[in-house]
Amino acid sequence: MINKNERRLRRCKKIRLFYKKNNKLRLVVYKTSKHIYAQIIKEYNNTSNVLVFASTLEKRNILNNIYTGNQISAGNIGKIIAKRALIKNIKNVVFDRSGYKYHGRIKKLADNARKYGLNF
């Protein structure tokens, strides 16, 4: 019997293989019950570099929201990652949701990243 996490990891593998072939910048999202992380990654032959990073673990984000595992915090991370990417002249990325379903915190992060200037 395949559990929920194994299904997510299978979806994640298929998505990542597709993006590796295209050599595009990826906006990768990872979430836990308490925090959400977003990073823009550029992959070379077999190496990858993180160009931009934002998470709810950063001190200024925690001060804005006491509880970091909600949609408001995810929206703030989307806004922060978009602003930091635009500073480094990154406008076009591919959204890699790491196998998570596109709703709730993942959707809020993606919507705010688009709103503040990133194109998927």
Side-chain angles (χ1 to χ4, degrees):
M1 179 69 93
I2 298 174
N3 65 16
K4 183 178 179 179
N5 195 37
E6 289 173 352
R7 285 193 304 260
R8 182 188 71 80
L9 292 174
R10 279 188 180 182
R11 284 191 303 265
C12 181
K13 276 185 180 179
K14 285 194 288 187
I15 292 168
R16 292 215 172 121
L17 284 175
F18 176 74
Y19 293 146
K20 278 185 179 181
K21 292 177 186 175
N22 295 333
N23 290 333
K24 296 191 177 197
L25 297 176
R26 292 186 296 138
L27 172 60
V28 180
V29 177
Y30 179 73
K31 68 176 185 169
T32 63
S33 60
K34 292 184 180 181
H35 296 286
I36 192 158
Y37 310 86
Q39 56 189 1
I40 296 178
I41 296 176
K42 181 171 186 168
E43 294 205 21
Y44 301 113
N45 298 329
N46 284 329
T47 61
S48 59
N49 289 343
V50 176
L51 304 175
V52 181
F53 176 77
S55 78
T56 53
L57 288 173
E58 296 176 25
K59 194 169 189 178
R60 60 183 156 186
N61 295 332
I62 292 173
L63 295 176
N64 293 338
N65 292 320
I66 294 171
Y67 182 67
T68 56
N70 58 11
Q71 289 187 13
I72 296 168
S73 296
N76 288 340
I77 295 303
K79 179 172 89 172
I80 291 168
I81 196 93
K83 287 183 177 181
R84 290 179 183 174
L86 291 177
I87 289 171
K88 292 194 173 193
N89 291 326
I90 300 170
K91 295 178 184 171
N92 296 317
V93 296
V94 176
F95 187 62
D96 182 358
R97 53 191 171 87
S98 300
Y100 297 112
K101 293 181 180 178
Y102 187 78
H103 67 89
R105 292 187 285 162
I106 301 293
K107 184 177 182 200
K108 189 71 170 180
L109 187 144
D111 290 343
N112 276 1
R114 277 192 202 103
K115 180 179 174 183
Y116 287 94
L118 282 181
N119 297 323
F120 317 159

